[in-house]
Amino acid sequence: MADNTFIVRIKRRAAPHESVRWEEFEIRYRPHMNVITCLRDIAEKPITRDAKGTTPVSYDANCLEEVCGACAMLINGYPRQACSALVDNLEKPIRLEPLTKFPLVRDLQVDRSVMFENLKRMQCWVPIDGTYAIGPGPRMSPEEQQIGYPLARCITCGNCLEACPKVNSHTQFVGAAIINQVRLFNMHPTGEMHSRARLEAMMGPGGIQDCDNAQNCVKVCPKSIPLTESNNEINRQVLKHAIWDWLNWSQGPTERSEEWKRTGIQK
Amino acid sequence: MREPRIIVVGGGLAGLMATIRVAESGVPVQLFSVVPVKRSHSVCAQGGINAAKNLKGEGDSTWIHFDDTVYGGDFLANQPIVKGMCEAAPAIIDLLDRMGVMFNRTPEGLLDFRRFGGTLHHRTAFAGATTGQQLLYALDEQVRRFEAEDKVHKFEGWTFLSAVIDESRVCRGICAMDLRTMEVRTFPCDAVIFCTGGIGAIFRQTTNSVACTGMAQSALFQQGVYYANGEFIQVHPTAIPGEDKCRLMSESLRGEGGRVWVPRKAGDNRPARSIPEKERFYFLEEWYPKYGNLVPRDVATRAIYKIVFEEKLSLPGMNAVYLDLTHLPREMLDRKLEGVLEIYQKFVGPDPRDEPMKVFPAMHYTMGGLWVDNERQATNIPGIFAAGECEYQYHGANRLGANSLVSCIYGGMIAGPSAVKYARNLEKGCESVASSVFDAERSRQQETNDALLNQQGTENPITIWKELGDLMVEHVTVVRLNANLEKALRKLDEFSDRFSRVNLADRTQWSNQTLQFTRELGNMLILSKVITLGALARNETRGAHYKPEFPERDDKNWLKTTKASWNGGKIQLDYEPVDISLLPPRPRKY
Ligand SMILES: Cc1cc2nc3c(=O)[nH]c(=O)nc-3n(C[C@H](O)[C@H](O)[C@H](O)COP(=O)(O)OP(=O)(O)OC[C@H]3O[C@@H](n4cnc5c(N)ncnc54)[C@H](O)[C@@H]3O)c2cc1C
Ligand code: SF4
Ligand code: FES
């Protein structure tokens, strides 16, 4: 092996039903390389270390600056974004594998559409009346914005789901990313109007009760989102919501939510 | 009444806005995108979005915004539509705010605004330094809501290949490919709105995302849609040079007080912070005292080129200049700019709060694009509409910072309803078109795939792409010399010839990214020629198009829009006058 090269080992699978194979590639080192540049080198010259021809490696990527979320994979066993994984900082040989908690497509490509589906199920949006010019949005203090904005930076990469022991084939746990989004929309002045529906969905299958506080999510989140804080907050909201429902089972929903505001039970 | 069928191709800001507007009018939408729409390139936008809300007591107005935009674009944009955009901008910000965008706030709870290039006013609303991401998410959430109501059907992971055009030259649908199964299929519809973004991949070393290939624009061009002002390509002054991507260091860094400088003495290799003030050359501030570090991008980029290549004052060891934030309060930097600073730290290392950043210009934005009329976002082929960066009409010869997000959203807002109106007025809908029209297009696309997959060539598509990028950056970006442009055209012909001999290293029928990339490359080569030919023909200097041999703007001969068309496999250039009915052209001097 030449001095200025290093090895990348990749777990490959041509299609979901095909068998797994590992391939090793010798890559020429240049300064500032990241895992994507390695994969591009391989695409240009798809020849393994033992001189066998192979196909270019399939993977997802778009922004190349860690803001689109596309390129998540296991790099040396750790779930992270390939575009911001700099070769200089990685132990060699570099080992690349697809995320394991999502259906495999091919090689390093997986299907994370379940996350988008769960955002739909949890009604993660602000219900506006329409796009017509009907004046400004609600006022918001800079302090609230400083809480909301970091939550809104989630890139739906799925690393937090990958790292979570409770996301597996036996549960439908939606994972920290989705819980965090519920928190975001429940705190928005207009989004809050639908907080009930979100909390009820959070109490359903795959909801917050599946979280057993392993706190792996927060360690792998590339955007440093305070995920445990979001989990705690939603736990609290769900609990209050449940107690409130129990205390007010006889009252109609409108009256109830007004009262809810008046008594300041919701944060 | 029959229900019109509308397709939107592309789910960045423009595509999502168009989708929302169509769905809102009760018409269902099929939305196609190469990447899941939430991962579209619009997420990269950092600095902000312009609207003359005048919340800082500066006397800003939509008219001044309009004037800045037209002047910044060196008078090449048709003026009425630009005026329309600037007038709509404040309401667009309100709409986004209502959708829940986490814009930065003032102590009173109102939207905060910052300064950007090419204006003297605080006109740019922002959400930290990831504004595009925050806007895209807001629109994505609204589209998801329509999806839950079954009004939007997404086709994510599909690529557009071509339009289905009938004998009377009316568009009746699209032909697309599922990027997993590689299935090629046609989708009938009455109108299609294209929102497929910029073409940065042609230059390889760009601030654009991987999916910004211009494949759709190029395919449409080859089917008869005009491509306008192709030669106008924006090179952003401040990016981190990189092999896979040049990561942008947003204009907002300068908007918040960042300063560009180099050591006055060539080869001075002392650490930046130990160089005393008087030995630093703040060349933008010295050369452009009124706008300083916030001159428009084309001006700043040329200034950096001058410093690096003519004055030889580049930083030691690399072509770069300093972008310095170290004098600014950390708390402000964290609150307003963290998203960008984080990129610098992650990809380069040092903390820009402590050490000046090293930056250099990089290809950034596509001013030219699909030709559209000036009212409806309609192209010259009935049934084909376009909005966002893929069309040409808002930015003239140079785009001002933070004007793109607003133009994308505004364009989408117009394109949606006008496509619906067009579809409703059609005498016969797509269902009455003979199936042979669809079959023929499908076969044509399938045959292209089969030919590529079966061909035993010698050329590697990635190698050609790298060489293409190098060629285009060298000859068709900042400084354009006719001899070099001619050389580039000969080279492009050579690339096309080599492209006919490409060899695919992957011949499988499942998630074959090599096949997709090769088809993109074929399309990039055609657009590259459109850009280069347009640049060669335009013998003047205007906005981002700089020809030292013709250093002045020439309104007598060149105040006109380039309109390229595909004429039996050849590129033909025609021109049409620019609508200057609102602002008489004046010399552009910052
Ligand atoms: C780093 C960076 C920072 C920027 N910052 C700012 C800023 O602060 N302010 C500002 O105003 N502007 C900014 N811009 C410009 C702005 O981000 C873009 O012009 C804008 O986001 C383009 O949006 P769009 O909707 O036209 O296209 P995009 O967001 O690029 O979306 C294109 C869509 O088309 C789809 N697509 C493409 N080809 C096909 C195909 N063949 N088939 C199917 N789908 C296809 C893609 O999947 C995607 O969904 C910035 C640009 C960059 C690169
Ligand atoms: S919360 Fe963090 S780790 Fe989880 S999907 Fe979002 S960005 Fe990724
Ligand atoms: S490519 Fe977008 S996060 Fe890596």
Side-chain angles (χ1 to χ4, degrees), chain A residues 237-251:
Chain A
Q237 290 184 22
V238 161
L239 211 71
K240 282 211 164 136
H241 177 65
I243 296 174
W244 189 253
D245 256 11
W246 180 73
L247 287 174
N248 292 275
W249 59 274
S250 59
Q251 288 180 12

Side-chain angles (χ1 to χ4, degrees), chain A residues 14-16 30 32-34 36-37 40-41 43-46 54-70 83-84 86 105-106 109-112 116-117 119-120 124-142 144-146 148-149 152-157 181 184-185 187-188 190 222-223, chain B residues 17 20-21 24-25 35-36 38-41 43-44 46 53 91 94-95 97-110 127-130 133-134 137 141-142 144-145 147-148 156 180 204 207-212 243-248 335 338-339 342-343 346-348 413 460 462-463 465-466 505-508 510-514:
Chain A
R30 279 112 51 215
H32 309 298
M33 286 182 100
N34 58 28
I36 301 289
T37 24
R40 282 190 176 169
D41 278 15
E44 190 176 5
K45 216 171 132 235
T54 181
T55 52
V57 179
S58 286
Y59 64 97
D60 283 322
N62 196 28
C63 71
L64 304 187
E65 56 190 49
E66 206 189 68
V67 68
C68 80
C83 63
S84 56
L86 304 186
V105 177
R106 178 177 176 176
Q109 238 188 329
V110 295
D111 180 349
R112 280 166 289 179
F116 300 124
E117 283 305 314
L119 288 173
K120 205 189 292 170
C124 291
W125 51 72
V126 171
I128 59 162
D129 287 348
T131 60
Y132 314 102
I134 49 180
R139 286 210 187 180
M140 192 184 281
S141 69
E144 280 173 281
Q145 190 270 348
Q146 289 295 301
Y149 171 69
R153 290 186 66 200
C154 167
I155 59 177
T156 335
C157 61
Q181 290 292 305
L184 171 66
F185 289 98
M187 76 171 271
H188 184 271
T190 318
K223 297 289 121 181
Chain B
M17 193 67 226
I20 292 170
R21 294 283 278 186
E24 189 172 64
S25 70
V35 298
K38 200 178 176 183
R39 308 198 192 285
S40 294
H41 169 65
V43 290
C44 288
Q46 302 170 347
K53 283 264 219 184
D94 285 344
L95 171 62
D97 189 21
R98 284 170 46 224
M99 287 178 179
V101 173
M102 286 288 163
F103 284 117
N104 280 54
R105 306 278 160 167
T106 65
E108 196 176 329
L110 298 172
T130 62
Q133 174 199 41
Q134 297 300 308
Y137 290 0
E141 287 145 12
Q142 296 300 321
R144 190 162 294 111
R145 182 173 165 216
E147 211 187 358
E156 294 176 319
R180 279 189 203 160
R204 191 163 70 100
T207 61
N208 285 193
S209 298
V210 177
C212 301
E243 184 183 320
D244 57 330
K245 172 168 196 178
C246 298
R247 292 166 183 98
L248 184 75
R335 185 161 44 85
E338 192 184 5
E342 180 184 281
I343 292 176
K346 283 200 179 175
F347 289 92
V348 186
M413 283 183 126
N460 183 302
I462 296 199
T463 312
W465 175 60
K466 283 185 170 169
D506 186 350
R507 298 174 196 276
T508 62
W510 177 257
S511 192
N512 185 336
Q513 296 181 332
T514 310

Side-chain angles (χ1 to χ4, degrees), chain B residues 540-553:
Chain B
E540 66 161 347
T541 288
R542 183 184 297 272
H545 172 71
Y546 169 55
K547 275 192 174 173
E549 297 156 307
F550 304 89
E552 299 299 324
R553 186 174 92 196

Side-chain angles (χ1 to χ4, degrees), chain A residues 115 153-160 177 217 220-223 225 227:
Chain A
M115 294 182 76
R153 290 186 66 200
C154 167
I155 59 177
T156 335
C157 61
N159 289 327
C160 57
C217 49
V220 297
C221 175
K223 297 289 121 181
I225 299 173
L227 295 171

